[in-house]
Amino acid sequence: MEERSSQQALNRVFNLLKFTFVIVPIVAGADKFTNLLTHWDQYLNPAIASLLPFPAATFMMIVGVIEIIAGIVVLKNAEIGGYIVAAWLTSIALTLLLGFIYIDVAVRDLVMAISAFSMAKISRIVS
């Protein structure tokens, strides 16, 4: 009985993480086209922005498409999607840390990356 209860609790945690990492990347990705939540290009490391052959806003739209795809991948396959989202969030955090800008956002993204990685690992147990 206790084992079943533990499995149910694990399933609830997994589903919470899964739907978080479906919804958040899709919403954030879509917002790269509207900038309703924030002006996303401000989070781009200036050193990276200076290397781009196009405006930062265009780059952020490309990022938005990638994030939407990542959210869909999580929906279809939480393990693979979780690893993709974890890697993506880690890379974003590292670019912010390297530019020493928005350190609070970088730390938040690293925590979210750990959560996405954990979801990917848990998916092997609950699937």
Side-chain angles (χ1 to χ4, degrees):
M1 178 94 145
E2 188 175 322
E3 186 176 322
R4 182 174 175 210
S5 176
S6 295
Q7 185 65 38
Q8 288 174 334
L10 186 61
N11 286 340
R12 285 192 298 272
V13 169
F14 169 75
N15 285 325
L16 177 62
L17 288 168
K18 179 179 178 182
F19 289 112
T20 296
F21 288 112
V22 168
I23 294 168
V24 172
I26 290 173
V27 169
D31 195 57
K32 300 295 190 292
F33 294 88
T34 63
N35 289 311
L36 293 174
L37 299 174
T38 190
H39 291 281
W40 293 98
D41 54 341
Q42 72 180 330
Y43 294 101
L44 183 58
N45 184 323
I48 293 172
S50 69
L51 298 173
L52 296 174
F54 42 75
T58 302
F59 178 77
M60 294 313 286
M61 288 181 194
I62 295 167
V63 166
V65 170
I66 293 167
E67 290 173 341
I68 291 167
I69 292 169
I72 293 168
V73 172
V74 170
L75 180 64
K76 299 293 185 182
N77 186 320
E79 182 178 10
I80 292 170
Y83 292 132
I84 291 169
V85 170
W88 184 254
L89 288 166
T90 300
S91 67
I92 292 169
L94 291 175
T95 63
L96 294 173
L97 291 171
L98 289 173
F100 207 70
I101 56 172
Y102 299 105
I103 303 303
D104 57 328
V105 175
V107 170
R108 181 209 59 202
D109 283 357
L110 287 173
V111 170
M112 287 177 20
I114 292 166
S115 299
F117 182 82
S118 299
M119 178 202 62
K121 290 293 191 185
I122 292 170
S123 74
R124 291 179 149 231
I125 298 168
V126 300
S127 296

